Amino acid sequence: MTQLTVSDKARFDLTVVVLALLTMFGPLSIDMYLPAFGDIAASYSTESNRVELSLTSFFLGLFIGQLLYGTASDKWGRKPPLYFGLVIYIVSSLACAYAPNLESLIVLRFFQAIGSCAGLVIARAMVRDLYTPQASAQVFSFLILVMGIAPILAPLAGAYVTKAFGWQAIFVIVAALAVACMAIVHVRLPETRSFNGAVRMRRSLPIYWDVLKDRGFLRYSLAGGIAQSGLFAYITGSPLVFIDHFGLDPTHYSWLFGLNAIGIIGMAQFNAWLLRRRDARKILNKSLPVLALISLLTIVFASLNANFWLVLMIVFAYVSTLGMVFPNAMAGALAEQQERAGSASAVTGSLQFLIAGIISAVVNVVGHITPLGMLYVIGACGLTATLLYRVLRTPS
């Protein structure tokens, strides 16, 4: 298949919008129910921090589920595994709405994640199928733009839906959106990979191991994944920090959440503009040190027990900078993975969400030690990502 550059405007616009819709289900499933933590806790007569375990189980599902789709999409083509994942997502979302207890909700969230990550894996693989490495970095910037709609609108929608209809309606709504997306995929999304009988499902683990042994892949994937885990530290810890510690009501918290989403969207689009003039790797080489400096300040602010405005400012700076880091790191990770793009996409996604799941659990623990524990974790993520990017550099 001939790869496209971003000058192929019609194909770029149509295909990328559909791919972006597929990547929204993970963020939508995370962000939309955050303002409902209190209502979910009250519904099950438990504490809000126990509801956070449903977020941790979702991250675990994203880690495991992506490995299921990688080799399958390289063998069977991109669309059949995608349909399979969307069906799982629809069924498990509806089951979440009727979960009889918190333990059931935690388990069902795991399966909801298994379904949602089909879109994450296969959308990234299709980008690699269709676009050149430099163009793919621009596509990933566009995906962040569309994915950023979820953090802006989802918490607001979740807050109002919960107030009007109850938290269960959130899961019914995302199931309905998945049904609509499946119809759009069937009508509009082209198949970018034909059946390949040479790919053996039983060789999935050896293929994944070969991908992991690629030093260049590991460098970009770990740097991007660990940096992004700072965002998930914020997602997990922000209700505790802004609602419980600083006393924001859920609706105001939702607007604050959207503010940070605007930051990452803006920087991602600035990144797309830069990519027309600069190489993606050069941009990453400049943006990671900036992230490290912000991360250091984040730790300093936490140790000084910073006030609301300083915490808001430093978190906004970190999240916004990810718009420059993540698209270029993802493009770098997949650049040399032509024939195993699906497997490589699965591995990089699983690494990211394995790290995110660990970080989510760490934030849960640290948050009980200090109210601003989230900031320490965010800072550690940014510094670690920058350090690994330098350490894993291929010797010249």
Side-chain angles (χ1 to χ4, degrees):
M1 179 177 291
T2 302
Q3 289 189 315
L4 305 176
T5 67
V6 288
S7 61
D8 299 294
K9 276 295 184 183
R11 184 77 172 276
F12 174 82
D13 292 341
L14 176 62
T15 303
V16 174
V17 168
V18 179
L19 294 177
L21 290 174
L22 290 172
T23 63
M24 285 183 65
F25 286 102
L28 194 65
S29 302
I30 293 168
D31 301 326
M32 193 169 180
Y33 91 131
L34 291 179
F37 271 23
D39 290 75
I40 295 172
S43 178
Y44 292 127
S45 301
T46 188
E47 298 176 353
S48 294
N49 68 306
R50 289 201 66 217
V51 179
E52 289 181 0
L53 293 174
S54 66
L55 189 58
T56 301
S57 71
F58 193 87
F59 288 142
L60 180 61
L62 288 173
F63 160 61
I64 294 174
Q66 294 192 68
L67 295 175
L68 301 176
Y69 297 104
T71 307
S73 70
D74 285 339
K75 179 179 178 64
W76 300 102
R78 307 304 187 201
K79 292 181 75 170
L82 180 56
Y83 290 136
F84 179 76
L86 286 172
V87 169
I88 292 176
Y89 182 84
I90 293 163
V91 172
S92 58
S93 296
L94 292 173
C96 282
Y98 299 99
N101 51 52
L102 181 60
E103 290 73 20
S104 299
L105 180 65
I106 291 169
V107 172
L108 288 167
R109 286 280 289 169
F110 172 83
F111 287 103
Q112 188 189 33
I114 294 286
S116 72
C117 59
L120 292 171
V121 170
I122 293 168
R124 286 193 300 258
M126 284 184 158
V127 170
R128 184 61 189 87
D129 292 340
L130 288 169
Y131 301 101
T132 63
Q134 184 73 5
S136 69
Q138 292 181 271
V139 175
F140 286 126
S141 294
F142 183 82
L143 294 188
I144 285 181
L145 168 64
V146 180
M147 288 173 65
I149 295 173
I152 292 173
L153 298 181
L156 285 170
Y160 288 112
V161 167
T162 300
K163 186 175 181 179
F165 305 106
W167 63 265
Q168 294 89 345
I170 292 171
F171 293 100
V172 175
I173 289 170
V174 296
L177 290 174
V179 172
C181 188
M182 185 183 292
I184 295 171
V185 166
H186 180 70
V187 173
R188 284 296 195 179
L189 192 66
E191 177 61 80
T192 62
R193 172 102 178 189
S194 58
F195 173 81
N196 186 353
V199 176
R200 296 285 184 266
M201 294 299 296
R202 64 176 178 269
R203 292 200 67 250
S204 294
L205 290 180
I207 291 172
Y208 291 151
W209 181 244
D210 285 343
V211 171
L212 277 171
K213 289 191 296 184
D214 185 322
R215 187 182 181 95
F217 169 85
L218 202 59
R219 181 193 187 202
Y220 288 102
S221 189
L222 283 179
I226 294 174
Q228 190 192 36
S229 66
L231 172 62
F232 290 110
Y234 162 68
I235 290 170
T236 303
S238 59
L240 183 65
V241 171
F242 292 110
I243 296 177
D244 294 350
H245 180 61
F246 287 122
L248 289 183
D249 66 62
T251 302
H252 289 157
Y253 163 76
S254 300
W255 283 106
L256 180 150
F257 207 84
L259 174 66
N260 286 292
I262 291 172
I264 193 172
I265 289 171
M267 290 300 287
Q269 299 323 294
F270 178 60
N271 182 66
W273 178 81
L274 280 180
L275 284 165
R276 294 194 287 269
R277 297 158 176 80
R278 299 285 187 274
D279 181 74
R281 298 183 187 187
K282 291 182 179 178
I283 297 173
L284 185 61
N285 290 341
K286 299 291 186 182
S287 56
L288 270 173
V290 173
L291 188 72
L293 177 60
I294 294 169
S295 300
L296 186 60
L297 289 173
T298 302
I299 294 172
V300 171
F301 283 12
S303 65
L304 295 176
N305 196 27
N307 62 30
F308 170 82
W309 294 108
L310 287 176
V311 171
L312 179 61
M313 179 186 71
I314 200 65
V315 169
F316 178 82
Y318 184 97
V319 173
S320 298
T321 307
L322 290 179
M324 296 282 289
V325 171
F326 187 70
N328 301 314
M330 180 61 66
L334 299 181
E336 304 300 326
Q337 308 295 328
Q338 293 90 340
E339 290 303 314
R340 54 188 188 186
S343 298
S345 174
V347 172
T348 192
S350 292
L351 278 175
Q352 288 160 12
F353 286 106
L354 171 63
I355 297 165
I358 294 170
I359 292 301
S360 174
V362 169
V363 169
N364 192 285
V365 172
V366 176
H368 287 83
I369 299 172
T370 172
L372 297 183
M374 173 190 79
L375 296 184
Y376 287 108
V377 180
I378 291 174
C381 290
L383 292 173
T384 303
T386 306
L387 178 63
L388 283 176
Y389 186 73
R390 294 186 64 85
V391 169
L392 293 173
R393 182 170 47 192
T394 305
S396 55

